[in-house]
Amino acid sequence: STQKPWAGRFNEPTDVFVEAFTASVGFDRRLYRQDIQGSQAHARMLARQGILSDSECDAIVAGLERIKTRIEQNKFSWSVPLEDVHMNIEAALTAEIGDAGKRLHTGRSRNDQVATDIRLWLREEVDEISRAIRRLQQVLVDLAEREAATILPGFTHLQAAQPVTFGHHMMAWYEMLERDVERLRDARRRINLMPLGAAALAGTTYPIDRDYSARLLGFDRPAANSLDAVSDRDFAIEFSAAAAILSMHLSRFSEELIIWSSAQFGFITLSDAFCTGSSIMPQKKNPDVPELLRGKSARVFGHLIALLTLMKAQPLAYNKDNQEDKEPLFDIVDTLRGGLKVFADMMGALSCNHARMRTAALQGFTTATDLADYLVRKGVAFRDAHEIVGRAVALGVERGRDLADLSLEELRGFSAAIDEDVFDILTLEGSVAARDHFGGTAPNQVRAAVARAREALAAD
Ligand code: ARG
């Protein structure tokens, strides 16, 4: 069987099932690029400090490049007995360049190595995810501009509440995504610290220069405590928490699209390209994509809980438990990257059914608050106005007519303060246009929000 790098103190071979059970190479080989990058930086630092010769360092750096190429060409054979990506690459390096390969692990442990690899990997993924969020925001801003004056009912309790503009609604999602980007960027500051040099747990006896390796790898600085450096997975949990909140947003947004695209609402039409049919019901067009996006939030939430649980009882410093941190992280990243892409594509192909939205906004007395505000402007106290309009709504319900369809006489029956001009404020356009302040739903304000967003996206 394969000679293990740590075999020295063992008398018996590893149980074959245990070998497979403890191995992580099946999934952590995904980190090969970061593992090589980290090893090359470590070798350069060792050479600069006189711990390795320059020729040894050159052989290591070049040998690792060749191994990287082999991996990328699918010509590398991964070995389960060699456990993980780290020992696989190190063994291949020694096979490739001979003795110099055996010097690479000087002053290093797989404990600081793996923590470094994950941080390098996650840093890149956070940037990719942030870019994907930006792309979705861009689509929403375009949609908001196109539909700045489109009116639909806004809801509370899923009951028609007040008219709002579709553009305003899209910009609400833009704001949520903006906070998601901020959270990811904040998490990135704590991801971008370098464990390398912590070695197994206590640091190392060689005269290493951690600032130099950190600089080579683009880390902000080396982690300040060796015990913490090898055992900290807060950065992974923070990322997962930000990812869970982002997934919650995508799920909520999806829920709305599912409701809006139902025949009963009919506010929007999702492009056929993002829906599927039924194997039995010929008429069906199902919103599979938003449904799946809603469903996928569940796995991201689950991974966050898995990582918290993974860490909650680990004494310092490294424990093998930590090998379980990778699959949840990988799955979160894959889920989000796929989800954000399909979401942006789907929103770019969405169409609004203006007439359906308008009809719905005209039902349910959505301008009742406007009538109360009107009475206040005529000198009525708001509480009295609320009562008066409530009685007018009750009459409308009884007669099956909306407020704007009641006659002036009928309305005046509730308050002599009501005049002919009331009908202007009872229109949908009047209602949204009147909410013309920073953060309000007026088409003007939507255009202003769109302009601010475009500027922010361009500056980013
Ligand atoms: N495969 C291991 C992990 O993912 C690498 C570190 C192993 N360290 C050790 N002392 N066994 O965490």
Side-chain angles (χ1 to χ4, degrees):
S1 79
T2 314
Q3 180 65 21
K4 306 232 187 322
W6 41 253
R9 64 99 62 226
F10 287 79
N11 296 318
E12 287 182 63
T14 318
D15 176 277
V16 281
F17 185 76
V18 168
E19 218 164 46
F21 183 75
T22 54
S24 54
V25 65
F27 50 87
D28 67 15
R29 50 196 269 193
R30 179 165 175 167
L31 298 173
Y32 76 90
R33 209 158 38 77
Q34 293 75 19
D35 196 68
I36 286 173
Q37 189 187 358
S39 289
Q40 289 175 328
H42 180 65
R44 288 200 167 104
M45 183 279 290
L46 292 176
R48 192 163 184 263
Q49 297 302 101
I51 303 164
L52 283 187
S53 72
D54 286 342
S55 64
E56 285 164 338
C57 172
D58 292 346
I60 289 171
V61 170
L64 287 170
E65 275 310 302
R66 291 196 294 277
I67 288 170
K68 181 161 72 185
T69 306
R70 229 184 296 145
I71 293 172
E72 283 167 356
Q73 294 175 343
N74 245 321
K75 288 179 189 149
F76 189 89
S77 93
W78 296 97
S79 149
V80 170
L82 283 172
E83 251 179 81
D84 51 29
V85 64
H86 324 293
M87 296 206 300
N88 265 269
I89 290 178
E90 194 191 319
L93 180 68
T94 300
E96 175 91 9
I97 67 171
D99 280 355
K102 295 192 197 165
R103 295 187 187 275
L104 168 62
H105 213 52
T106 311
R108 186 176 73 167
S109 154
R110 275 184 296 156
N111 298 350
D112 58 343
Q113 187 178 357
V114 69
T116 301
D117 292 3
I118 305 171
R119 284 172 185 266
L120 286 170
W121 172 81
L122 193 55
R123 181 177 82 182
E124 290 174 38
E125 294 297 344
V126 162
D127 293 343
E128 284 299 324
I129 291 168
S130 301
R131 270 193 284 278
I133 298 175
R134 287 283 183 244
R135 195 182 145 238
L136 174 55
Q137 283 180 304
Q138 186 66 58
V139 173
L140 295 179
V141 169
D142 292 345
L143 199 50
E145 182 165 60
R146 191 181 87 198
E147 309 288 347
T150 302
I151 298 175
L152 75 162
F155 296 88
T156 61
H157 313 270
L158 200 56
Q159 310 286 323
Q162 293 177 349
V164 294
T165 49
F166 192 86
H168 193 53
H169 202 113
M170 289 303 111
M171 291 308 286
W173 292 110
Y174 171 91
E175 290 296 330
M176 288 177 248
L177 294 170
E178 189 60 29
R179 292 195 294 276
D180 289 321
V181 171
E182 280 175 28
R183 265 185 288 271
L184 286 170
R185 293 202 169 156
D186 186 54
R188 193 191 193 282
R189 294 194 302 123
R190 283 173 296 280
I191 291 171
N192 204 29
L193 302 177
M194 188 191 71
L196 217 53
L201 75 165
T204 177
T205 55
Y206 302 94
I208 57 173
D209 181 350
R210 299 184 68 209
D211 289 312
Y212 181 67
S213 333
R215 220 162 37 243
L216 287 181
L217 291 170
F219 283 113
D220 292 333
R221 58 179 182 281
N225 179 292
S226 65
L227 289 164
D228 182 42
V230 287
S231 61
D232 170 25
R233 295 294 182 275
D234 293 5
F235 72 91
I237 295 174
E238 274 190 68
F239 164 74
S240 305
I245 296 175
L246 167 59
S247 302
M248 176 274 289
H249 287 152
L250 298 182
S251 174
R252 243 185 123 176
F253 198 171
S254 294
E255 168 78 5
E256 214 158 61
L257 299 176
I258 293 163
I259 294 172
W260 285 356
S261 65
S262 68
Q264 288 67 27
F265 274 73
F267 288 2
I268 56 165
T269 304
L270 297 171
S271 150
D272 280 2
F274 296 90
C275 296
T276 61
S278 160
S279 58
I280 172 170
M281 298 169 282
Q283 85 285 10
K284 293 284 277 182
K285 175 176 162 181
N286 296 326
D288 286 41
V289 169
E291 287 175 285
L292 203 48
L293 283 160
R294 187 176 58 186
K296 281 185 187 290
S297 64
R299 60 203 284 166
V300 178
F301 298 174
H303 294 321
L304 168 62
I305 298 299
L307 290 173
L308 284 166
T309 313
L310 178 67
M311 297 312 294
K312 76 179 267 292
Q314 284 195 48
L316 293 181
Y318 177 87
N319 300 278
K320 184 78 167 184
D321 311 40
N322 283 343
Q323 187 162 289
E324 289 290 310
D325 64 357
K326 288 166 208 66
E327 287 163 294
L329 282 178
F330 292 163
D331 192 60
I332 289 174
V333 162
D334 293 341
T335 302
L336 283 181
R337 285 183 61 173
L340 285 164
K341 181 196 160 17
V342 76
F343 213 123
D345 294 346
M346 174 177 69
M347 293 310 287
L350 174 132
S351 52
C352 289
N353 305 327
H354 297 148
R356 289 297 300 255
M357 290 188 195
R358 195 176 173 80
T359 305
L362 286 169
Q363 291 160 359
F365 307 94
T366 59
T367 53
T369 314
D370 296 83
L371 180 55
D373 291 343
Y374 168 89
L375 289 168
V376 168
R377 284 196 298 277
K378 301 266 172 169
V380 180
F382 183 77
R383 271 296 148 238
D384 295 332
H386 189 290
E387 169 72 22
I388 290 165
V389 178
R391 281 191 274 115
V393 167
L395 178 73
V397 170
E398 191 190 305
R399 308 216 165 145
R401 278 186 282 148
D402 206 82
L403 289 178
D405 302 324
L406 295 176
S407 67
L408 185 57
E409 263 112 79
E410 284 170 315
L411 286 170
R412 282 180 67 88
F414 297 103
S415 170
I418 298 177
D419 289 313
E420 187 66 44
D421 61 353
V422 73
F423 293 107
D424 302 333
I425 65 102
L426 290 179
T427 65
L428 299 178
E429 283 72 17
S431 175
V432 295
R435 286 162 173 80
D436 191 10
H437 55 77
F438 179 78
T441 195
N444 273 336
Q445 294 296 334
V446 174
R447 290 187 191 103
V450 163
R452 283 194 303 272
R454 286 206 192 288
E455 218 172 292
L457 291 174
D460 192 47

